[in-house]
Amino acid sequence: MEQLRKEIENLREENAKLRSQLSESKVNNESLSLTEYQRYGRQMIVEESGGLRGQLELKSTRIVVVGAGGLGCPSLQYLVGAGVGHIGIVDNDTVEASNLHRQTLHDTSRVGTLKCESAKQKLNLLNPFVDIKTYPVRLTSENAFEIFDGYNYVLDCTDSPATRYLVNDVAVSLGITVISASGVGTEGQLCILNFKNQGPCYRCFYPTPPPPNSVSSCSEGGVIGPCIGLVGVMMAIETLKLIYGVYTIENFKPFLMSYSGFPQQSLRVFKMRGKQTTCKCCGSDPKITKETIESGEINYTEFCGQRNYNVCSADERITVKQYHSEYIESLEKDHILIDVRPSHHYDISHFQHSINIPLKELKNMHGSLDKLKERIPQLQENTNLVVLCRFGNDSQLATRIFKDEFKIKSVKDVKGGFFKYIDNINQDIPKY
Amino acid sequence: MVKVKVEFLGGLDVIVGKERIHKVEVTRDDGNAVNVGDLIDYIVAKMIKEKNDVEVFIDNGSIRPGILTLINDTDWELEGEKEYELDDGDVVSFTSTLHGG
């Protein structure tokens, strides 16, 4: 008994010593504790890391990561593992089960919790010597300056053009170098922006935003976990190189890396244009400044635009409840259900009684009834068509095409689509 | 006539029969050197099967914003854009900018 008490006492003392070492070490950027020498030994003996000097550089560096998703998770993991001293994580999303195949810091038990907190919890276990601050907010024109101020680097791991322009503009204004990457499907891209305030920025590469209907997100276009993961890991490598001082004003050449996972994995490095003197953000006569951003004069949502799906009138739409009670259950209304999702979506899960005509195929028929009848042989002038897609957006566009181009009279769009039907009516249908 | 390789990356292959790499021969009636502008006209006239897909590639008479054009792995802005005169063996790549993360 006495011995146990003594052991506990010893452990307590040791624990307190480690704790004080840890908190001391977190504020001390000028030296490493003995445990840190051990922890970082394997990377410090790589000559390119700059040894002790490089490790101290990492320790004193402050990095803010915007987005703790498919790119953010792998890059955070390696940067924290490497001993970057101070990390900020900006994300107001919560973990969903459909994130877990690629967002490797989160796990099943964290579903429903904040991504930034979930990431912090895992990262604290990985390396308690790193100081991690979370920002459970959406990055906006109002809060971005306050959040970014004081950080040395920004990692853009976001998922929409509007946020990408915002991250860029604020970083340029504060003189911060950005490591920017993106990915969808089996591909990814990566570049370094505003390098030491001399390199090109996002607006130098993309002065005009893409039309909103050409932009695909991971939830929409899908994404292979390791493909985007690899790009996130590459972001960590570029960040370490920046901190180690591998890139200099003299040797830095603007580039864009392009990764393809399929059919054969390949990584291309494209040589890119330099800083554009005409750039509205980093050029010689910038219109985008702290003042114009914070005042809201630069309107990111307006600049990037939004897709307009609301092209059907109220009487052209029915709810999933109406569809279920009036069309399926009562068999009251004879109808043909057209599912306009891409066929690889349809193959995962669908209504047995539906016909799959993807929106793209429908558009390419250019209103030819003959072509449509090849796909719907039983189609008559008075046929009732009901149109369905995943979320109820594409089905509205398709409803317009059926009515305006094919001149079919009775066409109804199902509001909220297949997924809404699953949520509200029948949760036994697989939802992906 | 020039023989060049054209690549459609970042998902842009959907407009050209889902093939990423195409070998094409482009000629000009007036016998002048074929430039990238001619190649773009050729792509629109001969390679994009569905006319609905042209707007994915062209906007306001030029390459749509959000598509990067590269000549031999170099941003076309550094190479003279549409005026760049093509040689046999040149590789012209079009890649869609990605936004997911």
Side-chain angles (χ1 to χ4, degrees):
Chain A
M1 198 65 180
E2 187 54 34
Q3 205 176 341
L4 269 178
R5 210 170 278 150
K6 200 153 190 188
E7 256 177 54
I8 290 173
E9 193 51 44
N10 285 342
L11 282 171
R12 277 207 183 117
E13 264 173 39
E14 200 187 328
N15 196 1
K17 209 166 109 195
L18 285 172
R19 260 175 212 277
S20 85
Q21 247 186 40
L22 196 59
S23 57
E24 226 171 83
S25 178
K26 272 193 189 176
V27 290
N28 175 5
N29 289 332
E30 275 85 54
S31 66
L32 299 181
S33 62
L34 293 179
T35 2
E36 285 172 288
Y37 275 95
Q38 272 176 0
R39 175 180 285 263
Y40 305 125
R42 291 298 181 278
Q43 78 189 18
M44 283 164 67
I45 57 175
V46 174
E47 224 178 332
E48 284 77 1
S49 79
L52 179 59
R53 181 194 54 81
Q55 195 59 49
L56 289 170
E57 284 293 337
L58 290 184
K59 194 173 176 181
S60 63
T61 296
R62 308 175 62 85
I63 294 178
V64 62
V65 177
V66 190
L71 292 167
C73 284
S75 46
L76 278 165
Q77 192 162 355
Y78 280 103
L79 293 175
V80 168
V84 169
H86 310 271
I87 299 262
I89 309 172
V90 187
D91 202 320
N92 71 333
D93 259 3
T94 52
V95 179
E96 290 177 31
S98 65
N99 300 146
L100 299 176
H101 76 122
R102 65 187 189 281
Q103 303 184 10
T104 51
L105 290 174
H106 315 305
D107 64 53
T108 312
S109 71
R110 305 270 168 75
V111 170
T113 67
L114 280 166
K115 282 185 186 177
C116 59
E117 295 302 336
S118 163
K120 181 181 175 175
Q121 216 173 324
K122 188 72 143 279
L123 294 168
N124 278 339
L125 292 173
L126 174 65
N127 190 351
F129 289 93
V130 177
D131 154 52
I132 298 170
K133 189 168 163 51
T134 54
Y135 303 86
V137 293
R138 192 171 172 76
L139 195 77
T140 64
S141 309
E142 290 85 41
N143 64 22
F145 279 94
E146 202 181 316
I147 294 174
F148 284 10
D149 197 19
Y151 284 103
N152 307 107
Y153 299 97
V154 177
L155 265 63
D156 186 348
C157 304
T158 64
D159 60 2
S160 78
T163 317
R164 289 183 180 277
Y165 280 105
L166 173 65
V167 167
N168 176 76
D169 297 351
V170 175
V172 168
S173 172
L174 292 169
I176 307 173
T177 302
V178 181
I179 300 89
S180 174
S182 59
V184 70
T186 61
E187 309 205 32
Q189 290 165 350
L190 188 159
C191 55
I192 295 174
L193 300 171
N194 193 44
F195 175 68
K196 292 187 189 281
N197 251 3
Q198 304 290 312
C201 80
Y202 195 69
R203 288 188 192 260
C204 294
F205 288 173
Y206 311 109
T208 314
N213 60 6
S214 72
V215 176
S216 181
S217 65
C218 290
S219 67
E220 214 175 74
V223 59
I224 300 294
C227 290
I228 192 130
L230 201 53
V231 181
V233 173
M234 289 196 287
M235 290 178 92
I237 301 172
E238 291 306 310
T239 309
L240 291 182
K241 280 155 68 178
L242 284 163
I243 300 169
Y244 290 147
V246 173
Y247 292 117
T248 62
I249 292 282
E250 291 72 36
N251 72 17
F252 180 79
K253 300 261 187 299
F255 63 87
L256 182 110
M257 289 165 79
S258 165
Y259 169 76
S260 294
F262 287 52
Q264 190 168 45
Q265 292 198 66
S266 72
L267 185 63
R268 303 264 292 269
V269 183
F270 300 135
K271 185 181 168 196
M272 294 300 289
R273 67 193 74 176
K275 190 189 192 67
Q276 304 288 292
T277 49
T278 54
C279 179
K280 282 184 180 158
C281 184
C282 72
S284 45
D285 180 23
K287 299 275 181 281
I288 297 162
T289 59
K290 185 170 195 245
E291 289 68 39
T292 56
I293 296 169
E294 285 194 323
S295 70
E297 195 181 319
I298 306 297
N299 184 327
Y300 291 90
T301 324
E302 204 171 89
F303 178 61
C304 293
Q306 276 173 326
R307 277 187 259 188
N308 178 22
Y309 287 113
N310 299 320
V311 293
C312 291
S313 60
D315 64 334
E316 288 170 326
R317 311 187 72 188
I318 53 172
T319 63
V320 291
K321 209 172 161 204
Q322 273 174 299
Y323 181 63
H324 183 69
S325 59
E326 293 171 24
Y327 291 79
I328 296 190
E329 263 190 341
S330 67
L331 299 169
E332 195 179 298
K333 285 187 186 158
D334 194 20
H335 75 287
I336 298 172
L337 179 66
I338 308 292
D339 187 327
V340 297
R341 290 176 294 153
S343 49
H344 60 282
H345 284 231
Y346 185 82
D347 290 345
I348 296 172
S349 154
H350 59 257
F351 282 117
Q352 285 303 326
H353 64 279
S354 65
I355 297 175
N356 180 217
I357 308 178
L359 181 63
K360 191 171 160 54
E361 187 186 337
L362 195 69
K363 277 185 184 167
N364 290 338
M365 291 181 188
H366 301 288
S368 155
L369 263 183
D370 290 340
K371 281 190 181 153
L372 188 60
K373 278 182 179 161
E374 279 173 30
R375 301 286 273 105
I376 321 173
Q378 64 273 48
L379 185 73
Q380 303 284 330
E381 212 176 300
N382 56 355
T383 305
N384 291 313
L385 286 187
V386 176
V387 191
L388 185 80
C389 69
R390 196 179 178 195
F391 297 120
N393 292 326
D394 280 353
S395 58
Q396 289 194 64
L397 305 178
T399 299
R400 277 271 68 78
I401 294 174
F402 279 122
K403 294 194 100 166
D404 302 348
E405 294 184 22
F406 293 96
K407 309 290 177 202
I408 295 167
K409 289 194 186 73
S410 168
V411 190
K412 298 282 185 203
D413 161 61
V414 180
K415 275 194 251 180
F418 191 43
F419 281 16
K420 185 98 179 169
Y421 183 90
I422 297 172
D423 288 345
N424 292 10
I425 312 285
N426 182 355
Q427 289 163 22
D428 291 334
I429 301 173
K431 188 176 152 189
Y432 53 90
Chain B
M1 185 192 75
V2 285
K3 294 181 183 179
V4 295
K5 191 158 100 174
V6 190
E7 299 178 307
F8 296 86
L9 312 173
L12 266 187
D13 56 321
V14 292
I15 64 170
V16 286
K18 292 202 174 170
E19 284 293 329
R20 294 161 60 95
I21 298 170
H22 298 254
K23 286 189 171 143
V24 300
E25 296 179 3
V26 188
T27 48
R28 244 176 96 130
D29 294 341
D30 61 8
N32 285 342
V34 176
N35 63 30
V36 169
D38 298 322
L39 174 68
I40 291 169
D41 293 342
Y42 176 89
I43 292 167
V44 172
K46 303 274 171 62
M47 296 178 70
I48 300 179
K49 303 277 185 303
E50 296 291 346
K51 70 170 192 258
N52 279 339
D53 286 339
V54 172
E55 66 181 48
V56 176
F57 190 60
I58 300 288
D59 182 60
N60 269 327
S62 198
I63 298 295
R64 170 176 71 69
I67 295 178
L68 289 173
T69 307
L70 305 137
I71 301 167
N72 299 321
D73 283 0
T74 299
D75 188 351
W76 75 333
E77 203 262 350
L78 299 169
E79 302 285 340
E81 303 195 357
K82 284 184 180 174
E83 308 306 320
Y84 175 89
E85 290 182 3
L86 289 164
D87 277 322
D88 282 345
D90 278 345
V91 181
V92 179
S93 320
F94 300 95
T95 182
S96 211
T97 314
L98 309 176
H99 300 97

